[in-house]
Amino acid sequence: MSITSPTPSMIAKKDGAIGWMIFNNPERLNAVSLEMWQAVPEILAAFEADDEIRVIVLTGAGERAFVAGADISQFGESRSSPEGILAYENATEVAFNGIANASKPTIAMIDGYCIGGGLGIALSCDMRIAAEGSTFGIPAAKLGLAYGAGGTGRLVHVVGPAFAKEIFFTARRFTHDEALAMGLVNRVTSKDELENFVRDYCSLIAENAPLTVNTAKQVVDEFTKAPGNFDTDKCEALIARCFGSDDYKEGRAAFMEKRKPVFKGR
């Protein structure tokens, strides 16, 4: 079932428990325009409002790219003045933060180029699953631009400071094997198996208790904060929410009755 998108360059659809967000600019390797960045939080809001959607998958249209970066052809128009640069950076940061802070698990399904802003999108997701032959990189040093603290921090949290520096300093492209070795992606599959693999993972997640999954997501994210900023009270409240939920009762009952639990997210 399609969900209304503010631009045809972004496709949003619901498929059972999966909300699909598709960057739809295959002629430009799914390079992201300003209107596409601005559409991301609107699509996420629709997914968040639908209780039947348990997992959000982000991917690119076509067979050549996940997202090959921001649409550089717009830079002269939208990033040539201090005001334009600020507005553009705000739009991208809102998109990145919206993905990172989504209450539901997010998976980047990567087939092909995952470069620059595309890698920023993937890093904002909880997991990254890639097809063989996919390539990764951040060419900022070849363009003379700089990444913000948010995007840099997400890269450091995923691969560590040494690999983050290598990615930024060299501005080169990394293979799927290199990406897997540095922890940039969680899993690598063949191109033919990619979508089914992701769908299977979504099914595994969707069958589990949503409150438990959300709690795990938020508590893990607390550990990525700067030292001294860990919110113990928040984590304890999230954990208490799980133990006080109907889903906890359902999980115990299903275990005793030797049946599959049916979780409602409450």
Side-chain angles (χ1 to χ4, degrees), residues 69-195:
D71 190 345
I72 296 177
S73 68
Q74 289 192 328
F75 282 17
E77 174 185 349
S78 59
R79 300 180 82 175
S80 59
S81 68
E83 296 79 13
I85 291 171
L86 181 60
Y88 191 95
E89 294 302 314
N90 285 341
T92 60
E93 203 58 29
V94 168
F96 290 144
N97 288 335
I99 298 166
N101 297 326
S103 67
K104 301 173 182 182
T106 52
I107 298 175
M109 187 175 83
I110 302 164
D111 186 3
Y113 295 110
C114 183
I115 307 295
L119 185 52
I121 291 167
L123 287 166
S124 299
C125 294
D126 296 308
M127 292 185 289
R128 288 150 295 281
I129 300 174
E132 294 172 344
S134 297
T135 55
F136 306 81
I138 298 177
K142 293 182 178 179
L143 296 169
L145 55 83
Y147 268 52
T152 301
R154 280 186 280 271
L155 179 62
V156 172
H157 290 315
V158 170
V159 302
F163 280 133
K165 289 175 181 177
E166 181 181 358
I167 291 169
F168 276 119
F169 292 176
T170 65
R172 75 175 181 86
R173 293 179 181 176
F174 295 81
T175 67
H176 69 261
D177 284 332
E178 291 174 309
L180 185 62
M182 67 177 73
L184 191 57
V185 298
N186 296 72
R187 299 281 181 252
V188 172
T189 76
S190 70
K191 289 176 72 73
D192 291 341
E193 295 173 342
L194 177 63
E195 184 172 335

Side-chain angles (χ1 to χ4, degrees), residues 3-258:
I3 296 172
T4 301
S5 171
T7 169
S9 296
M10 295 292 290
I11 297 172
K13 62 181 182 179
K14 174 183 174 181
D15 182 7
I18 306 174
W20 291 88
M21 183 189 299
I22 303 170
F23 292 82
N24 185 36
N25 188 13
E27 296 81 9
R28 300 187 63 82
L29 300 177
N30 300 320
V32 187
S33 65
L34 180 59
E35 67 177 4
M36 291 168 73
W37 288 118
Q38 292 169 336
V40 169
E42 294 188 41
I43 294 171
L44 286 172
F47 290 162
E48 292 277 22
D50 190 329
D51 290 338
E52 293 180 352
I53 292 177
R54 298 286 181 88
V55 188
I56 299 170
V57 177
L58 288 76
T59 193
E63 300 179 352
R64 298 177 62 198
F66 171 70
V67 172
D71 190 345
I72 296 177
S73 68
Q74 289 192 328
F75 282 17
E77 174 185 349
S78 59
R79 300 180 82 175
S80 59
S81 68
E83 296 79 13
I85 291 171
L86 181 60
Y88 191 95
E89 294 302 314
N90 285 341
T92 60
E93 203 58 29
V94 168
F96 290 144
N97 288 335
I99 298 166
N101 297 326
S103 67
K104 301 173 182 182
T106 52
I107 298 175
M109 187 175 83
I110 302 164
D111 186 3
Y113 295 110
C114 183
I115 307 295
L119 185 52
I121 291 167
L123 287 166
S124 299
C125 294
D126 296 308
M127 292 185 289
R128 288 150 295 281
I129 300 174
E132 294 172 344
S134 297
T135 55
F136 306 81
I138 298 177
K142 293 182 178 179
L143 296 169
L145 55 83
Y147 268 52
T152 301
R154 280 186 280 271
L155 179 62
V156 172
H157 290 315
V158 170
V159 302
F163 280 133
K165 289 175 181 177
E166 181 181 358
I167 291 169
F168 276 119
F169 292 176
T170 65
R172 75 175 181 86
R173 293 179 181 176
F174 295 81
T175 67
H176 69 261
D177 284 332
E178 291 174 309
L180 185 62
M182 67 177 73
L184 191 57
V185 298
N186 296 72
R187 299 281 181 252
V188 172
T189 76
S190 70
K191 289 176 72 73
D192 291 341
E193 295 173 342
L194 177 63
E195 184 172 335
N196 285 336
F197 187 96
V198 171
R199 285 183 177 276
D200 287 344
Y201 251 46
C202 289
S203 295
L204 284 174
I205 295 169
E207 291 173 357
N208 292 329
L211 293 180
T212 301
V213 172
N214 174 260
T215 295
K217 173 171 178 166
Q218 293 195 63
V219 173
V220 169
D221 285 347
E222 284 296 314
F223 281 97
T224 68
K225 291 183 175 180
N229 290 334
F230 188 94
D231 192 336
T232 301
D233 292 341
K234 173 184 175 181
C235 293
E236 290 179 349
L238 289 167
I239 293 166
R241 180 188 63 169
C242 287
F243 283 111
S245 69
D246 291 339
D247 278 355
Y248 177 51
K249 297 175 184 176
E250 166 65 8
R252 285 181 295 157
F255 180 81
M256 296 302 295
E257 296 165 13
K258 295 181 172 58

